[in-house]
Amino acid sequence: MEQFDMFVTVVQQQSLNKASQLLNISQPALSRKIMKLEQELGVELFRRKGKRLELTRAGEVCYEYALDQQRLERKLHDSLRAFRSATKPASIVIGASLTTLQSTLPDLITIYTREHPHTDIKAVTGKTHEVVPLVKEKKVDIGLVASQIDDPGLVSVPLFDDHLCLVLPAAHPYADHAGLTVHDLHELPMILFSRGTWYRVLMDEMFHRCGVHPDVKMEIDSFEAIVRLVATCQTATLLPESYLRHPLVGNNELTVRFVPELEQTKRTTSLLYTEEAALEAPIRRFIDLAVKHYR
């Protein structure tokens, strides 16, 4: 690489004398290095015209290659700079339940990376009962779940309360009905979350309490799949209010109805972490930002 660097300097100066002064090397020594490079490549790189040097066609090709090598070397050093520094690149691993992954986590990551763009954030998904041990065993730094957790080994910070809404296709018979109650859901064709998810547990408890038995056509884990299928199948569903952003509702031609019994069926979304994890600056910043955002 040293010979190519010298070659580039000679090309740019168009003079062995000027190049030797910049490189702090004698002109004869520089001339020998250029000749050695020509011998190794098997081509003539320069034509001598008096005191001036002109590149041959082979020299032009070699010059472009040498510039590319210099750019690659600079890029390599830039990429390695973080590893040579005293501090390692910041990273956060977040364990999220499926519902919070789709409704809450995207906003928090967007806000955090806007202020700290070089932090590497990874997400691990699972049900709430799977996320809790991941945080306790330090397999993830932070947990984000749609539930309140009381565990002596964890700090649980409530972010916000969320309730369920009735979501209908725009052409559904109930779309324009005023004063809907939970009893209007009895035998109503619906697509609901799969059994075992926190929101489905919440729904089933409410249905049992109110003596309501909807006609469950499908059970699905994904918010996005439910939204698409509700419009396609012309069925109803129950979704948390935090997920129902205006573009999502409008783009899928849905309507949202607030039912008193559903508004009373609340779930608290919480951040989970260990006191030890919170001592690390990137994790502490994420926690503080999340609390500030929702309060």
Side-chain angles (χ1 to χ4, degrees), residues 111-237:
I111 295 166
Y112 186 88
T113 54
R114 189 183 301 145
E115 296 184 18
H116 308 284
H118 301 297
T119 301
D120 180 26
I121 299 180
K122 297 179 181 178
V124 177
T125 62
K127 294 180 179 178
T128 296
H129 71 269
E130 296 169 330
V131 172
V132 171
L134 289 177
V135 180
K136 291 184 68 174
E137 295 165 13
K138 299 180 176 60
K139 293 179 180 178
V140 301
D141 300 312
I142 298 171
L144 185 65
V145 296
S147 180
Q148 284 186 298
I149 302 297
D150 184 11
D151 190 299
L154 295 175
V155 179
S156 178
V157 178
L159 295 181
F160 62 91
D161 289 333
D162 204 5
H163 65 79
L164 294 168
C165 298
L166 178 63
V167 181
L168 306 162
H172 193 279
Y174 280 3
D176 297 322
H177 276 216
L180 289 171
T181 72
V182 70
H183 297 287
D184 291 306
L185 307 184
H186 186 67
E187 297 186 352
L188 182 68
M190 301 188 78
I191 298 174
L192 299 179
F193 286 115
S194 298
R195 293 183 183 274
T197 58
W198 277 107
Y199 278 109
R200 180 58 187 273
V201 170
L202 200 66
M203 294 173 198
D204 287 343
E205 288 175 351
M206 179 194 64
F207 293 149
H208 178 73
R209 188 170 62 251
C210 299
V212 171
H213 301 283
D215 180 9
V216 181
K217 298 295 186 182
M218 299 183 199
E219 297 177 326
I220 302 174
D221 280 338
S222 167
F223 278 142
E224 294 180 1
I226 290 175
V227 166
R228 288 198 298 269
L229 287 167
V230 162
T232 302
C233 301
Q234 292 296 296
T235 55
T237 191

